[in-house]
């Protein structure tokens, strides 16, 4: 809560500072203020900024990366190029919430026309277990599962509106 107040105060004098807006949106997420986080994310997208979320990829072990949205472009980058994608709206074949809404699955058409699936777990509410994300709830504490589901729906809405 204290960090949020500091970010809000700084935002008054620097309302177009991407790093500050990102911190402000993240602080709202951690505190469960999803509407405020979504509003700030939309503001960032309207200003031509990127909104990004740290994620783990399908096997949820050591393949971590970043899901990044910019108006008209969705990017997933990881430590390995075969686990990455760049997509426009026409490249995104399908996006859905899977397995009791704990992660997002994307089906993306590559430049060669083939389709690949990517299952991504946002890490904002995840916790590590022995260096990996592999507990019964995929690293999400049971008490945070409702917030995690809200986060997934927020990400999905932003992609639907801005890709």
């Amino acid at each position: 809560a204290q960090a949020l107040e500091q970010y809000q105060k700084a935002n008054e004098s620097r309302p177009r500072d991407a790093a500050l807006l990102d911190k402000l949106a993240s602080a709202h997420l951690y505190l469960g203020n999803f509407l405020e986080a979504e509003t700030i994310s939309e503001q960032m997208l309207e200003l031509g900024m990127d909104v990004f979320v740290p994620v783990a990829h399908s096997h949820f072990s050591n393949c971590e990366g970043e899901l990044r949205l910019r108006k008209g472009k969705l990017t997933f980058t990881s430590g390995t190029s075969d686990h990455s994608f760049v997509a426009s709206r026409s490249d995104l074949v399908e996006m859905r919430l899977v397995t009791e809404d704990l992660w997002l699955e994307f089906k993306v058409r590559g430049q060669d026309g083939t389709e690949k699936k990517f299952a991504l777990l946002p890490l904002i509410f995840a916790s590590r277990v022995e260096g990996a994300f592999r507990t019964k709830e995929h690293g999400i504490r049971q008490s945070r599962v409702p917030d995690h589901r809200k986060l997934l729906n927020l990400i999905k809405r932003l992609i639907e509106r801005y890709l």
Side-chain angles (χ1 to χ4, degrees), residues 1-161:
Q2 184 179 4
L4 177 61
E5 289 175 21
Q6 291 174 344
Y7 298 146
Q8 287 172 325
K9 189 175 282 189
N11 187 51
E12 291 172 9
S13 62
R14 301 182 350 238
R16 292 179 175 254
D17 182 320
L20 181 58
L21 287 169
D22 179 60
K23 288 178 183 176
L24 190 56
S26 294
H28 279 297
L29 283 176
Y30 285 115
L31 293 171
N33 303 329
F34 291 91
L35 182 59
E36 291 86 349
E38 187 167 1
T39 300
I40 293 166
S41 297
E42 288 177 333
Q43 177 187 2
M44 292 172 68
L45 291 162
E46 288 297 332
L47 291 169
M49 299 174 188
D50 291 356
V51 172
F52 66 93
V53 178
V55 294
H57 172 49
S58 65
H59 39 87
F60 304 124
S61 57
N62 294 318
C63 188
E64 294 178 34
E66 182 177 86
L67 184 65
R68 183 175 292 266
L69 176 64
R70 174 177 282 206
K71 261 188 170 178
K73 182 179 175 182
L74 181 66
T75 307
F76 167 62
T77 53
S78 74
T80 59
S81 62
D82 63 326
H83 289 184
S84 299
F85 69 79
V86 177
S88 64
R89 180 169 293 284
S90 62
D91 299 325
L92 185 60
V93 177
E94 181 182 16
M95 173 178 59
R96 64 188 187 108
L97 303 176
V98 292
T99 311
E100 299 178 22
D101 300 341
L102 289 177
W103 69 80
L104 282 166
E105 183 178 86
F106 299 90
K107 188 186 293 183
V108 179
R109 184 178 304 107
Q111 290 180 337
D112 62 358
T114 61
E115 295 177 0
K116 286 179 88 173
K117 284 186 179 180
F118 296 85
L120 303 177
L121 172 75
L123 299 178
I124 291 173
F125 297 116
S127 56
R128 285 190 175 280
V129 177
E130 298 176 17
F133 300 94
R134 53 176 183 224
T135 65
K136 181 179 177 192
E137 294 291 345
H138 302 288
I140 310 299
R141 288 187 199 97
Q142 191 62 38
S143 63
R144 295 311 304 254
V145 168
D147 284 340
H148 182 76
R149 287 188 176 128
K150 289 177 186 175
L151 171 65
L152 288 172
N153 281 293
L154 184 155
I155 294 167
K156 188 172 184 277
R157 281 192 306 274
L158 290 172
I159 293 170
E160 288 169 345
R161 285 186 209 134

